[in-house]
DNA sequence: ATATTGTGGTTGCATTTGCAATTATAGGCC
DNA sequence: GGCCTATAATTGCAAATGCAACCACAATAT
């Protein structure tokens, strides 16, 4: 490996590499526990924290950072598995609301310990709380700025 | 959004979200410039920094953090595009070495300014050098530990 | 009211990915 | 040498993804 001169570029490179490596471990852990992939967890978690456990498709897509069509297919599968339910939006005839079911809630609760364990051993374990706070605030800035570019 | 109590878990959440958002922007930038996806850049860059611009398939897979079969397909496409060339490994009859071509080198050079611009505006711009260093070292630890888990 | 333009969501199709075989060779052991 | 197991890389097939249409309805203008 050649040294990247700029510390920010090195940070970027490690950021990308770490992400890829950790996701691999996490998906493997879910798979070994006969649980669905991380993307499902994300959707369940987002819905669980939304008002009444429901969200419009587009909002769900934005929060989960996936494309519209992708969230359609994702919820197709999850609906088939009984984890969410779709219904027409009462205030917008075009819209659809995606709602968490009790089964979905239960699955999220079941997935969390597996996920948490991976986060702890792969990630949290290697950070002191000062570092964690710094990473949070720095990435918070990055996310905000990236969000603003959405309009373009 | 509900507040995640543990600062490390919040850091994790933002880490994952930021990654997804930034990759979206970066892929879009490559696409708009009629350039191939980031995965190709990664392979080209890895080869360019390897001895003689060549690497065994398995090593390439490890460095690029992709599965074996995936790297096979990736190099299939890149070979078809004339960016890399495969040949039998002289010291291991099973092996294949993947070598960067002049065309591949040229494409990497052409992609870099586009990539760099995205890294700068989306990522580097929001970090001071102290933060960048901290992120580098923290993620360096995380990557090392994750690598050690590979053996299991 | 009617036309026009915009937005929400889904679908079709091509590309890409992941996983489980499969093939070919290496390396140790007898 | 012959046998057994392990490793390198590829392939087939199913699943997931991205993109460009597409349909239905909303919102605005006239």
């Amino acid at each position: 490996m050649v040294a990247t001169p700029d510390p920010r570029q090195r940070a970027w490179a490690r950021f990308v590499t770490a992400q890829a490596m950790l996701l691999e471990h996490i998906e493997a852990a879910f798979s070994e526990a006969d649980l669905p992939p991380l993307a499902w967890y994300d959707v369940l978690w987002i819905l669980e924290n939304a008002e009444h456990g429901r969200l419009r498709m587009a909002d769900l897509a934005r929060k989960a950072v996936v494309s519209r069509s992708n969230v359609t297919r994702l919820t197709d599968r999850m609906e088939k598995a009984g984890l969410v339910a779709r219904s027409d939006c009462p205030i917008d005839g075009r819209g659809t609301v995606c709602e968490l079911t009790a089964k979905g809630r239960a699955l999220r609760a079941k997935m969390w310990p597996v996920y948490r364990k991976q986060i702890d051993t792969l990630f949290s374990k290697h950070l002191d709380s000062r570092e964690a706070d710094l990473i949070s605030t720095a990435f918070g800035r990055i996310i905000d700025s990236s969000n603003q570019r959405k309009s373009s």
Side-chain angles (χ1 to χ4, degrees), chain A:
Chain A
M1 185 88 81
V2 159
T4 309
D6 175 9
R8 278 164 269 247
Q9 279 168 24
R10 178 164 47 233
W12 169 257
R14 294 196 179 164
F15 171 59
V16 171
T17 303
Q19 170 86 337
M21 295 179 75
L22 301 202
L23 287 188
E24 215 169 66
H25 283 287
I26 290 165
E27 295 290 10
F30 280 136
S31 178
E32 274 169 41
D34 281 304
L35 290 169
L38 180 56
W40 288 34
Y41 182 89
D42 283 339
V43 168
L44 294 172
W45 175 244
I46 289 167
L47 287 175
E48 197 161 325
N49 291 111
E51 290 271 356
H52 309 298
R54 68 181 77 162
L55 226 41
R56 292 283 295 270
M57 296 299 276
D59 295 329
L60 183 53
R62 253 189 315 101
K63 293 213 184 201
V65 196
V66 297
S67 69
R68 290 272 187 91
S69 67
N70 205 1
V71 92
T72 295
R73 259 73 177 252
L74 199 49
T75 52
D76 280 350
R77 287 169 243 146
M78 295 178 70
E79 191 170 33
K80 206 170 299 179
L83 306 171
V84 301
R86 268 186 285 202
S87 53
D88 295 343
C89 176
I91 61 169
D92 185 338
R94 299 164 297 181
T96 306
V97 299
C98 184
E99 185 174 357
L100 190 60
T101 64
K103 196 172 171 189
R105 217 173 274 269
L107 178 63
R108 211 236 15 117
K110 197 173 157 205
M111 291 178 81
W112 172 233
V114 176
Y115 190 17
R116 173 186 220 160
K117 185 173 175 220
Q118 297 301 313
I119 297 173
D120 284 351
T121 61
L122 297 168
F123 184 79
S124 302
K125 192 185 170 195
H126 308 286
L127 302 175
D128 62 34
S129 68
R130 181 184 114 273
E131 289 172 323
D133 285 338
L134 187 145
I135 287 169
S136 283
T137 61
F139 286 156
R141 288 198 296 276
I142 287 167
I143 290 168
D144 288 346
S145 124
S146 182
N147 263 327
Q148 277 162 7
R149 260 162 240 283
K150 280 270 171 62
S151 13
S152 74

